[in-house]
C-alpha cells in the first residue's frame, strides 16, 4: 500500500495544470451526449489474433484496458486484449464518470486515489480523458452520516487525502442551488473529479498499444482451455491463442465467461439496472460545479453539458439479464423504467429544487454488475492456476479502474500484491455465491448498499439461512443473532431470552438508537454476559463455520508436505496439536491454522472460516504432483462445539469415560472420545481463546445429541451459548492475532511476535529464506496491542478498525482489529507500528525499543485523539473474581 | 345454483328421480350434439381424489391459473362502434358438473344498444340454456319500433329473417343445433302479439316495459311449449320448463342503462367519486326472502290462509330460494296441469313433483324488476354476477377490487414522457401517482378472474383447497360463478351528456 502512496505523491508533485485546460475540457462537453464514440477500430484498426501471448485479457472496458496498460508499465508487453464487440461497448460507455478518492474502506480509497492521479497525469500528457478536477461534496442528512464521513476522512488522511468537513452554510456557499436546510453538513473533497469514461478507456488503450499490447476487437471467447488445472489456450471465434496467463475482465459477462472455462471459475456477480438522467442545459450551471453525493437520498449529481447528470442507487435494485445477457449487447441500454427511477428522481428534485423545471435530454438505464458484498472481485482464481479475475465493480469501475489495473498487474507479474486486497479477493467466495438465484436476491440489496454508510456490524437480509450449522435452529430458538462468513452463518451473540420475551423492553434497534452507528453497540450487555460466562463458568460456542481439512498419505509423504507448507514443526507425536502459519514466498501469512496429528500419516487442519476456498487452493497448488498426498475439505462433515470455560472439564467428565485431567489430557492434545451416547467425537484441548476447554469435532449426525446432552448436563453449571463476538473479546484481550485482519500475506511471523512458532532449526518450508533474511536484517513493522486510556465507552465513538495510530504525534500505522476487553475494562486494539522515514516515506528497520521506549501513542477515532497504552506481549489478566471484588 | 345457501344441492331435494333421469338424458344429448363448445374436458375431475385417500393435492400456481382462466372472455370496443360501452370482461367457474350458469353478450344490430346477461340455472341447465339462446331475441324484438317490428315480423316468415343480434361467442358456450322449430314459432307469435299491443304501452319507460314484456313472453312460451298436447310431450321443452333460471340482464343504449333482474343474481355499478374513492351503486335487488317488498308481493298475491306456507324455511313453498325465475313450472302450472303430466310420466311421483300446500298457483313469476340509470362520467363499470360471487363478497368489496384492478392495469404499460419538453417536476408527480397503483398491480389479465380468485380465498392454499373439493361436496362450499364486467367509456359519456 505504501508503495502506492509514494507513487501518488510523486504524481501530485508532477501535475498542477492550469484551470484554463479544465475549462476547455468542460466546454468541449457542452455538446456531448451519452452516446457511443467512434469505435477504436476506426482510429487504430483491430489487431490480428496472434498464436500466443504471455497474457490474454478478455474484456475491452475501462478495467481491461487499464490492466493492459499497467502490465506494460511493469515491462510485460506480450499482452493481447480481446473484446467481443468494440472497446467500451459493454457498460463502460454509459458510466457517469465520477471519480472520488474517498471510499468507505482504506483499500478502495487507495485504489481510487491512485486512479485520480493517473487520470490527471494522462490528461496532462495530452491524452484526453475528460478529467475535470471539480471536486466533490458529500452531504449528510444525519449526524450519523456526518460521523461516517469524518471517520472515513480521518482514517484515509495518512494516505494523503485532502478533505474538509463543511457546515450546511458552507455547502450552500459552494453550490448555491443546492437545498441545504435539511442537512447536518458535508464533506468537501477538492481533489475529486469527473472523467469521460469513453475517452479515458481510449486513452488507456492508446497507452497500452504504445507499450506493445495488441487489441483484438470483434473477437468472442468461446472456451478457455485448461491442462493440469492451468489455462493453456483461449479458443475464440477468430481462432485459438495460447497463453501463460488469462484475465477475466469481462464486466457483466464475467460470470458467463467463468463458466466457459474447462474448469469453471466462480465470478459471483449479477447485472442490475442502473439509472441516471441528463437534463437539457438550464439555469446557469457552473461547469466546475462539484459532484454532489447525497448518500441518505441514494443519489449523485454532476454537471453535464450545461445541464445536470443525476442518478443514484435505489435501496432495492432491479436485477436484469437473469437468464443471460442477450447476444450483441453493444452500446445498448435497457428499457426505460421510470417507475423504478421515481425514488431517485424524488430525491434529485429534493436536493436540487431547480431541477423541477428542467427538461429531460436523455434517460439512461444501463446494466451494471454487482457482487454479493458490494466489493470488487479481484485476483487469482482458486480453481485454475493461472486464471485471474478483475470484475464486479459495482458501478464504480471508472473510479476504480486505475488502481485496480495497477494492483492486478502487480499481482500477475509478482504473484503477490503490496496491498492487502483480501476484502476484494475472488477467493472469499464459495460456490453458493455463484448461484444465480442467490445472486439475484442479493444484488438487489448490494445496489442500495453502494450508498449506505455501513455501520460496523451491518448484515445483509437477503440470501440468509442458506448455509447453516446443524445446530442453527437450536441457536435461533435461544435468540442467536447470526452473521455471515463466506456464506456460513455463525451466531455472533445471543439476545438474552428476557429481552426477547418482554414486550416492554427495548428492541435491538431501539437500544442501538441510543448511540450512533459507530458508538456503543446494542449487543454490549449480551456479549459482556457471554464473555464472563466463558471466563468463569462454562459456555458452548458453535464453531462449525471453521474450515476443516483432512490430509493423509500412504507413507510419510503427508509429513513432508506439511513440513514444506507450514512454518512450524508439525512432525510431533500422534495426538499433538500444532499452531502454525503457512507462509508465502515473502514469509507472509498465507494462512494461520491449527494442525492435529491423528495418525502418523493423517492430519486434521483447522483454519479460519474465511480461508475455506483460499487455503484449499493454496494447499492443492503445492501438493506433490504424484498424487501421493490426499487433501479433503471436511468442513461440512463436522459440527464443532467449543466447550469453553473453567468448568468445562467438570461438565465434560459427566458425559465421557475418558479421563480429562491435565496429566491424561493435556492442553494442545487430541483424543477421540465418547460424549454422552455419541461416539467418534474428536476432542481437542484448546479453545482458540486461551481459556481452558475442548473443541469437539462431532460427526454431524451426532451433533444435536451432543449439544442437547451438554446443555442438559450443563444446567447445573449455568451453561449458556456464546457467540463470535465474545470469542473475539476473549482472544484479543490475550493478544491472539487473527488471520484476515492482523495476520496478512504482507505480515511475517517475526513482525507479529510469532518467531517461536517458526522452525528455523529445520527450515525447508515456503518462505524460509525470506524469513531468515528478515531475521538477520530486522523488521519494519511490529504488531502491538493498544489499550484505550481515556475513552468514554458510552459517549465516544468506538474504534472499529482502520483508525490511524500516531507515535509521538507521527503517523505510524493503522488499527487492524478491535474489541472491548471486559476484564481489562477498556478497548483493546491491535495494529502495526512502523517508522516512516521523514524524507523518503519508506519504513525504517525498527526494534522492540522503538515500539516500547519513549513512545506516546494516540489513536484518532473520527477526529478525536485518544491516548493508548501499548504492549507487544500478552497482558496478565487478573481473575474475574478479583475484578468483581474490587469493582 | 340458487339453493345452496342452507339446504344443499337442489336436485336431490326438489326434483323427482325420473325427471332427473330425463334431464340427464337430455343433457347428454345436448352435449353430444353440441359440437364445438361442449368442453367436457375443461373440468379436470381427476384433480380431485376420493376423500379416503387421505391426501388432498395442492394445485401449483400454474394449475390454478389454468383452471381459472379457461373460461375467460374479453372484448374491447376500441372505437369499433360509438357507444358508452368500452368493452367487457367475463369469466365463469363451475361448481356443478357441467356448469349450470350461463352468460350472454350481444350487440343490437338495429340500434346502438348492447345486451349483457348472467343466467344462473338451477335444477339442471336446460332452462338456463334456453333463456341464453332465446331471451335476447325477445328483448331485441320488443325494443324495435313499430315499423321495424313489422318488417322483422315479415322476415321471420322467410328463410332469411333479419338478424337482430351480433352475438359474442364464448369459448365454452354451446348452442343447440339444429335450433328446435318451436323457438322460431314461439318468437314469431311473440312478435305478432307485440305488434298488436304496440302503442298500447304506458310511455313512461318504453324500454323498461319492452324488456319486461320480453321476459314475460319468453317465460310463458317456455311454459306452454312443455304442455303435453294430446298426451304427447316434448322432452326438451319439458326439461327447460321444469328446471329454472335466474336472469340479470343489462341493456345499454346511448347513456341509458337498464338492468332487468329476475331472481338473485346481481348488478352493481362502480363509480369513482370526486375524492377518488370507489363507490358501489346497486342496480338490482335480489328477489329472495331478504327483500321485504318482494316478500310482501308474494304473500299478498295469495289468500291470507296460505301466508305461513307460501314462504317456509326462507323458501318459496319451502323449496325454492329465488322468488322469481324463468321455468320452474312446478310453481306456475295449475294443479291439474301438473297432475296430467304426472299421469303421463309415472303416477308414483306425483307427490314429489307437486309442491305441498299447492293451492293458488302461480306462485312464481319471471317478470323482472327493471332499474334505469342515466350514465355519468363517474360511472366506470358495471359488475353483473350470479349469486356464487355475492355470497362471498359485498357490493363494495367487489367494486373496490375491480376499481383497484383498473388502476393497477393502467400502470401495466411502461411510463415514458410523451413530450420531450416535460418538466422533471411534472414527470415526478405522474410517477408518484403511478406508484400508488403499482402496488395494486394484479397478476390476472382479466378482472373477472381476479374477482373469482378473491371469491375463492385470500391465498394460494385456500384457492387450491376450494378447487380440489370432491365433486359430491363442492356445492356445499361454492356455487357456480359467472361474472360479466362491462367497462364504460367516461370520455364518451362526458361528451354525450
Amino acid at each position: 500500500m505504501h508503495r502506492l502512496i509514494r507513487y501518488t505523491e510523486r504524481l501530485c508533485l508532477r501535475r498542477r495544470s492550469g484551470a484554463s485546460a479544465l475549462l476547455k475540457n468542460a466546454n468541449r462537453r457542452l455538446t456531448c451526449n451519452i452516446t457511443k464514440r467512434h469505435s477504436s477500430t476506426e482510429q487504430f484498426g483491430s489487431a490480428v489474433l496472434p498464436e500466443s501471448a504471455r497474457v490474454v485479457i478478455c474484456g475491452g472496458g475501462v478495467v481491461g484496458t487499464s490492466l493492459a496498460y499497467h502490465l506494460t508499465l511493469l515491462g510485460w508487453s506480450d499482452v493481447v486484449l480481446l473484446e467481443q464487440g468494440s472497446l467500451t461497448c459493454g457498460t463502460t460507455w454509459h458510466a457517469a464518470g465520477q471519480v472520488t478518492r474517498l471510499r468507505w474502506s482504506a483499500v478502495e480509497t487507495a485504489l481510487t486515489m491512485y486512479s485520480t492521479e493517473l487520470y490527471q497525469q494522462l490528461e496532462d500528457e495530452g491524452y484526453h480523458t475528460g478529467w475535470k478536477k471539480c471536486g466533490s461534496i458529500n452531504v449528510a442528512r444525519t449526524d450519523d452520516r456526518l460521523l461516517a464521513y469524518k471517520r472515513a476522512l480521518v482514517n484515509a488522511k495518512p494516505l494523503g487525502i485532502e478533505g474538509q468537513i463543511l457546515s450546511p452554510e458552507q455547502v450552500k456557499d459552494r453550490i448555491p442551488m443546492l437545498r441545504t436546510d435539511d442537512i447536518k453538513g458535508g464533506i468537501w473533497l477538492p481533489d475529486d473529479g469527473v472523467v469521460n469514461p469513453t475517452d479515458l478507456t481510449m486513452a488507456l488503450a492508446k497507452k497500452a498499444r504504445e507499450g506493445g499490447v495488441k487489441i483484438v476487437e470483434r473477437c468472442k471467447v468461446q472456451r478457455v482451455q485448461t491442462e493440469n488445472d492451468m489455462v493453456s489456450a483461449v479458443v475464440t471465434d477468430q481462432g485459438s491463442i495460447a497463453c501463460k496467463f488469462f484475465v477475466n475482465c469481462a464486466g457483466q459477462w464475467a460470470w458467463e465467461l467463468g463458466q466457459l472455462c474447462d474448469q469453471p471459475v466462480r465470478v459471483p456477480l449479477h447485472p442490475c439496472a442502473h439509472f441516471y438522467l441528463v437534463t437539457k442545459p438550464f439555469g446557469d450551471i457552473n461547469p466546475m460545479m462539484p459532484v454532489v453525493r447525497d448518500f441518505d437520498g441514494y443519489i449523485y449529481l454532476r454537471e453535464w453539458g450545461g445541464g445536470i447528470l443525476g442518478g443514484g442507487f435505489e435501496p432495492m435494485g432491479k436485477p436484469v439479464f437473469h437468464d443471460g445477457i442477450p447476444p450483441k449487447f453493444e452500446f445498448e441500454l435497457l428499457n426505460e423504467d421510470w417507475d423504478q427511477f421515481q425514488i431517485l428522481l424524488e430525491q434529485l428534485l429534493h436536493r436540487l429544487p431547480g431541477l423541477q423545471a428542467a427538461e429531460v435530454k436523455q434517460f439512461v438505464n444501463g446494466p451494471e454488475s454487482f457482487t454479493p458484498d458490494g466489493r470488487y472481485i479481484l485476483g487469482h482464481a482458486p480453481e485454475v492456476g493461472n486464471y485471474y479475475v478483475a470484475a464486479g465493480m459495482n458501478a464504480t469501475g471508472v473510479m476504480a479502474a486505475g488502481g485496480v489495473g495497477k494492483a492486478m498487474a502487480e499481482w500477475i507479474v509478482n504473484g503477490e500484491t503490496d496491498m492487502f486486497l483480501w476484502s476484494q479477493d475472488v477467493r472469499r467466495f464459495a460456490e453458493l455465491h455463484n448461484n444465480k438465484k442467490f445472486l439475484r436476491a442479493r444484488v438487489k440489496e448490494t445496489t442500495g448498499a453502494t450508498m449506505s454508510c455501513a455501520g460496523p456490524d451491518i448484515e445483509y437480509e437477503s440470501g440468509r439461512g442458506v448455509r447453516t450449522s446443524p445446530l442453527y435452529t437450536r441457536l435461533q430458538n435461544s435468540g442467536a443473532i447470526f452473521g455471515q462468513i463466506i456464506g456460513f452463518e455463525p451466531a455472533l451473540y445471543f439476545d438474552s431470552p428476557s429481552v426477547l420475551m418482554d414486550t416492554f423492553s427495548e428492541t435491538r434497534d431501539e437500544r442501538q438508537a441510543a448511540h450512533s452507528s459507530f458508538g456503543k453497540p446494542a449487543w454490549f450487555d449480551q456479549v459482556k454476559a457471554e464473555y464472563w460466562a466463558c471466563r468463569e463458568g462454562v459456555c458452548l460456542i458453535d464453531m462449525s463455520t471453521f474450515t476443516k481439512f483432512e490430509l493423509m498419505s500412504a507413507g510419510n509423504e503427508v509429513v513432508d508436505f506439511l513440513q514444506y507448507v507450514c512454518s512450524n514443526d508439525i512432525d510431533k507425536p500422534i495426538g499433538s496439536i500444532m499452531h502454525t502459519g503457512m507462509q508465502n514466498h515473502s514469509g507472509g501469512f498465507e494462512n494461520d491454522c491449527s494442525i492435529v496429528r491423528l495418525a502418523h500419516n493423517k492430519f486434521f487442519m483447522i483454519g479460519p472460516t474465511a480461508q475455506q476456498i483460499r487455503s484449499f487452493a493454496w494447499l492443492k497448488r503445492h501438493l506433490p504432483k504424484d498424487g501421493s498426498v490426499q487433501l479433503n475439505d471436511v468442513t461440512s462433515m463436522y459440527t464443532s462445539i467449543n466447550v469453553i470455560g473453567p468448568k468445562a472439564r467438570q461438565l465434560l467428565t459427566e458425559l465421557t469415560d475418558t479421563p480429562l485431567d491435565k496429566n491424561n489430557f493435556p492442553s494442545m492434545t487430541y483424543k477421540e472420545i465418547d460424549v454422552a451416547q455419541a461416539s467418534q467425537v474428536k476432542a481437542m484441548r484448546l479453545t482458540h481463546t486461551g481459556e481452558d476447554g475442548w473443541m469437539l469435532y462431532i460427526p454431524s449426525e451426532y451433533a444435536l445429541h451432543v449439544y442437547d446432552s451438554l446443555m442438559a448436563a450443563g444446567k447445573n453449571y449455568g451453561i449458556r451459548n456464546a457467540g463470535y463476538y465474545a470469542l473475539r473479546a476473549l482472544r484479543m484481550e490475550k493478544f491472539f492475532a487473527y488471520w484476515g485482519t492482523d495476520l496478512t500475506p504482507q505480515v511475517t511471523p517475526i513482525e507479529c511476535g510469532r518467531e517461536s512458532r517458526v522452525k528455523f532449526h529445520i527450515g525447508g518450508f515456503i518462505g524460509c529464506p525470506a524469513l531468515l533474511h528478515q531475521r538477520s536484517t530486522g523488521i519494519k513493522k511490529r504488531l502491538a496491542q493498544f489499550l484505550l486510556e481515556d475513552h468514554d465507552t458510552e459517549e465516544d465513538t468506538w474504534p472499529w478498525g482502520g483508525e490511524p495510530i500516531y507515535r509521538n504525534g507521527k503517523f505510524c500505522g493503522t488499527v487492524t482489529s478491535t474489541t472491548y476487553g471486559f476484564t481489562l475494562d477498556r478497548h483493546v486494539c491491535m495494529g502495526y507500528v512502523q517508522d516512516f522515514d521523514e524524507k523518503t516515506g519508506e519504513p525504517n528497520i525498527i526494534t522492540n525499543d522503538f515500539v516500547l521506549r519513549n513512545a506516546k501513542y494516540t489513536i484518532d477515532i473520527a477526529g478525536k485523539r485518544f491516548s493508548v497504552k501499548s504492549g507487544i506481549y500478552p497482558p496478565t489478566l487478573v481473575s474475574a473474581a478479583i475484578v468483581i471484588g474490587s469493582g | 345454483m340458487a339453493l345452496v345457501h342452507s339446504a344443499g344441492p337442489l336436485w336431490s331435494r326438489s326434483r323427482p328421480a325420473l325427471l332427473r333421469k330425463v334431464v340427464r338424458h337430455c343433457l347428454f344429448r345436448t352435449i353430444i350434439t353440441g359440437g364445438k363448445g361442449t368442453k367436457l374436458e375443461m373440468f379436470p375431475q381427476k384433480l380431485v381424489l376420493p376423500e379416503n385417500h387421505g391426501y388432498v393435492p395442492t394445485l401449483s400456481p400454474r394449475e390454478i391459473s389454468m383452471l381459472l382462466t379457461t373460461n375467460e372472455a374479453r372484448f374491447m370496443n376500441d372505437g369499433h362502434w360509438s357507444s358508452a360501452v368500452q368493452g367487457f370482461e367475463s369469466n365463469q367457474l363451475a361448481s356443478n358438473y357441467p356448469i349450470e350458469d350461463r352468460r350472454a353478450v350481444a350487440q343490437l344490430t338495429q340500434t346502438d344498444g348492447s345486451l349483457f346477461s348472467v343466467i344462473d340455472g338451477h335444477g339442471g341447465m336446460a332452462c338456463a340454456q334456453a333463456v341464453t339462446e332465446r331471451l335476447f331475441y325477445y328483448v331485441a324484438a320488443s325494443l324495435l319500433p313499430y315499423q321495424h317490428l313489422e318488417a322483422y315480423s315479415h322476415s321471420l316468415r322467410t328463410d332469411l329473417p333479419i338478424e337482430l343480434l351480433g352475438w359474442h361467442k364464448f369459448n365454452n358456450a354451446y348452442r343447440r343445433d339444429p335450433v328446435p322449430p318451436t323457438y322460431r314459432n314461439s318468437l314469431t307469435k311473440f312478435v305478432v302479439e307485440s305488434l298488436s299491443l304496440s302503442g298500447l304501452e304506458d310511455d313512461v319507460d318504453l324500454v323498461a316495459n319492452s324488456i319486461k314484456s320480453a321476459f314475460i313472453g319468453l317465460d310463458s312460451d317456455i311454459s306452454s311449449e312443455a304442455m303435453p298436447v294430446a298426451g304427447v310431450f316434448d322432452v326438451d321443452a319439458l326439461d327447460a320448463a321444469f328446471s329454472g333460471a335466474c336472469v340479470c340482464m343489462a341493456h345499454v343504449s346511448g347513456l341509458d342503462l337498464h338492468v332487468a333482474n329476475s331472481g338473485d343474481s346481481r348488478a352493481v355499478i362502480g363509480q369513482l367519486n370526486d375524492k377518488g374513492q370507489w363507490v358501489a351503486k346497486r342496480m338490482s335487488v335480489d328477489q329472495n326472502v331478504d327483500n321485504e317488498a318482494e316478500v310482501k308481493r308474494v304473500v299478498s298475491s295469495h289468500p291470507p290462509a296460505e301466508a305461513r306456507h307460501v314462504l317456509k324455511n326462507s323458501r318459496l313453498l319451502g323449496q325454492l330460494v329465488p322468488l322469481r325465475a324463468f321455468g320452474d313450472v312446478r310453481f306456475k302450472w295449475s294443479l291439474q296441469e301438473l297432475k296430467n303430466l304426472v299421469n303421463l310420466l309415472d303416477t308414483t311421483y306425483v307427490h314429489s313433483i307437486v309442491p305441498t300446500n299447492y293451492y293458488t298457483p302461480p306462485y312464481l313469476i319471471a317478470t323482472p324488476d327493471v332499474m334505469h340509470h342515466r350514465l355519468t362520467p363517474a360511472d366506470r363499470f358495471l359488475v353483473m354476477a350470479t349469486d356464487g360471487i355475492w355470497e362471498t363478497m359485498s357490493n363494495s368489496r367487489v367494486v373496490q377490487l375491480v376499481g383497484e384492478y383498473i388502476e393497477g392495469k393502467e400502470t401495466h404499460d411502461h411510463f415514458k414522457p410523451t413530450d420531450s419538453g416535460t418538466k422533471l417536476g411534472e414527470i415526478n408527480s405522474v410517477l408518484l401517482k403511478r406508484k400508488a397503483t403499482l402496488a395494486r398491480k394484479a397478476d390476472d389479465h382479466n378482472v373477472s378472474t381476479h374477482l373469482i380468485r378473491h371469491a375463492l380465498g385470500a391465498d394460494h392454499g385456500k384457492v387450491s383447497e376450494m378447487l380440489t373439493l370432491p365433486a359430491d361436496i363442492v356445492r356445499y362450499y361454492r356455487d357456480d360463478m359467472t361474472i360479466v364486467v362491462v367497462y364504460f367509456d367516461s370520455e364518451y359519456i362526458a361528451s354525450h351528456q
Side-chain angles (χ1 to χ4, degrees), chain A residues 394-587:
Chain A
N394 301 290
T396 57
V398 169
M399 66 176 85
V404 165
K406 179 172 188 287
M408 285 300 298
E410 288 170 359
W411 213 326
I412 293 165
V413 171
N414 304 331
E416 282 156 20
T417 52
D418 288 350
M419 281 171 84
F420 180 48
L421 286 169
W422 177 233
S423 59
Q424 324 287 329
D425 195 310
V426 64
R427 291 170 293 180
R428 73 190 185 276
F429 295 117
E431 195 58 34
L432 83 99
H433 293 110
N434 215 38
N435 177 317
K436 275 179 135 189
K437 296 283 181 285
F438 166 81
L439 282 168
R440 181 173 60 181
R442 174 57 66 81
V443 296
K444 275 188 195 173
E445 237 185 301
T446 33
T447 307
T450 310
M451 299 309 261
S452 76
C453 69
D457 41 34
I458 299 292
E459 293 282 345
Y460 286 97
E461 284 171 20
S462 56
R464 296 302 300 265
V466 182
R467 190 179 177 208
T468 64
S469 145
L471 303 176
Y472 183 80
T473 44
R474 287 280 198 284
L475 304 185
Q476 201 175 28
N477 290 340
S478 307
I481 305 299
F482 295 96
Q484 215 178 15
I485 312 170
I486 198 166
F488 211 142
E489 306 210 4
L492 300 176
Y493 68 98
F494 292 78
D495 235 351
S496 68
S498 64
V499 172
L500 289 177
M501 297 301 287
D502 184 359
T503 48
F504 294 103
S505 70
E506 292 172 307
T507 63
R508 252 193 324 152
D509 289 344
E510 284 163 358
R511 271 181 280 144
Q512 186 63 69
H515 301 274
S516 87
S517 296
F518 295 96
K520 183 183 169 187
W523 44 255
F524 185 81
D525 292 336
Q526 281 77 356
V527 173
K528 183 179 181 179
E530 288 170 24
Y531 171 95
W532 283 115
C534 290
R535 289 217 64 201
E536 297 298 314
V538 58
C539 267
L540 300 186
I541 307 179
D542 179 0
M543 290 173 54
S544 305
T545 66
F546 275 50
T547 297
K548 302 174 270 289
F549 296 160
E550 261 175 13
L551 296 112
M552 62 191 111
S553 62
N556 222 31
E557 296 90 341
V558 69
V559 180
D560 297 340
F561 170 66
L562 283 173
Q563 289 292 50
Y564 174 60
V565 292
C566 298
S567 51
N568 202 353
D569 183 10
I570 55 87
D571 194 6
K572 292 283 166 75
I574 294 166
S576 306
I577 304 172
M578 287 74 67
H579 285 315
T580 181
M582 291 185 185
Q583 317 309 131
N584 56 28
H585 292 281
S586 317

Side-chain angles (χ1 to χ4, degrees), chain A residues 548-828:
Chain A
K548 302 174 270 289
F549 296 160
E550 261 175 13
L551 296 112
M552 62 191 111
S553 62
N556 222 31
E557 296 90 341
V558 69
V559 180
D560 297 340
F561 170 66
L562 283 173
Q563 289 292 50
Y564 174 60
V565 292
C566 298
S567 51
N568 202 353
D569 183 10
I570 55 87
D571 194 6
K572 292 283 166 75
I574 294 166
S576 306
I577 304 172
M578 287 74 67
H579 285 315
T580 181
M582 291 185 185
Q583 317 309 131
N584 56 28
H585 292 281
S586 317
F589 278 93
E590 192 56 34
N591 190 8
D592 179 43
C593 56
S594 307
I595 293 200
V596 188
R597 189 163 198 176
L598 304 177
H600 83 277
N601 58 350
K602 191 174 178 188
F603 292 82
F604 194 80
M605 188 201 111
I606 301 147
T609 309
Q611 273 271 6
Q612 189 183 11
I613 300 298
R614 180 186 179 121
S615 60
F616 192 87
W618 178 261
L619 289 172
K620 195 177 151 211
R621 220 157 266 174
H622 291 94
L623 282 177
K625 298 285 174 252
D626 58 8
S628 55
V629 176
Q630 209 183 320
L631 166 69
N632 289 318
D633 183 345
V634 294
T635 302
S636 305
M637 277 175 58
Y638 294 97
T639 300
S640 327
I641 300 176
N642 191 350
V643 189
I644 180 174
K647 293 177 185 166
R649 188 171 71 84
Q650 287 178 55
L651 168 62
L652 215 48
T653 304
E654 284 194 30
L655 295 170
T656 187
D657 301 325
T658 310
L660 300 174
D661 59 279
K662 286 263 179 203
N663 293 329
N664 282 297
F665 205 144
S667 167
M668 292 301 282
T669 61
Y670 149 87
K671 276 192 173 78
E672 192 167 278
I673 66 171
D674 295 341
V675 177
Q677 296 166 50
S679 296
Q680 291 179 304
V681 174
K682 290 180 167 44
M684 302 168 196
R685 192 156 191 173
L686 88 166
T687 60
H688 300 285
T689 61
E691 300 296 324
D692 190 21
W694 278 263
M695 284 295 305
L696 303 179
Y697 286 84
I698 310 151
S700 280
E701 62 268 41
Y702 296 124
L704 281 174
H705 172 75
V706 170
Y707 176 82
D708 289 344
S709 303
L710 284 165
M711 272 296 179
K715 212 173 166 192
N716 294 339
Y717 298 81
I719 198 165
R720 57 177 294 161
N721 291 298
Y724 280 22
Y725 285 164
L727 190 74
R728 179 173 68 188
L730 290 161
R731 167 179 71 74
M732 279 195 58
E733 242 179 351
K734 299 195 192 70
F735 199 24
F736 283 20
Y738 206 66
W739 191 91
T741 50
D742 318 307
L743 308 182
T744 72
Q746 289 77 22
V747 169
T748 70
I750 307 173
E751 291 161 348
C752 67
R754 290 198 179 174
E755 209 175 326
S756 59
R757 289 190 192 166
V758 180
K759 51 173 185 256
F760 284 118
H761 58 293
I762 298 172
F765 59 93
I766 302 174
C768 186
L771 290 179
L772 283 169
H773 175 74
Q774 191 180 48
R775 192 167 66 157
S776 61
T777 54
I779 53 172
K780 292 179 179 175
K781 55 175 174 280
R782 180 66 167 93
L783 184 67
Q785 192 190 40
F786 298 95
L787 307 179
L788 234 52
E789 291 284 83
D790 48 2
H791 186 266
D792 184 337
T793 311
E794 291 294 328
E795 296 303 323
D796 286 328
T797 304
W798 277 30
W800 293 102
E803 292 79 7
I805 309 167
Y806 295 88
R807 181 187 177 276
N808 297 335
K810 192 180 141 206
F811 173 72
C812 73
T814 312
V815 171
T816 51
S817 58
T818 69
T819 188
Y820 191 83
F822 294 97
T823 300
L824 298 168
D825 212 11
R826 68 195 62 198
H827 274 280
V828 180

Side-chain angles (χ1 to χ4, degrees), chain A residues 40-104:
Chain A
S40 63
T41 324
E42 291 159 30
Q43 294 174 36
F44 304 99
S46 176
V48 177
L49 188 73
E51 279 180 6
S52 71
R54 195 170 192 182
V55 184
V56 169
I57 299 169
C58 179
V62 69
V63 174
T65 49
S66 171
L67 170 58
Y69 163 60
H70 284 95
L71 281 170
T72 65
L73 286 185
L74 294 178
W76 285 27
S77 57
D78 186 12
V79 176
V80 170
L81 187 148
L82 308 178
E83 163 56 46
Q84 59 177 348
S86 44
L87 292 183
T88 76
C89 79
T91 63
T92 295
W93 71 277
H94 62 66
Q98 42 164 330
V99 182
T100 180
R101 309 173 108 211
L102 186 63
R103 308 275 296 155
W104 296 123

Side-chain angles (χ1 to χ4, degrees), chain B residues 285-302:
Chain B
V285 184
D286 302 353
Q287 286 136 357
N288 55 26
V289 290
D290 298 332
N291 179 339
E292 265 182 53
E294 189 64 6
V295 168
K296 211 175 270 173
R297 177 189 70 77
V298 172
V299 173
S300 65
S301 48
H302 299 279

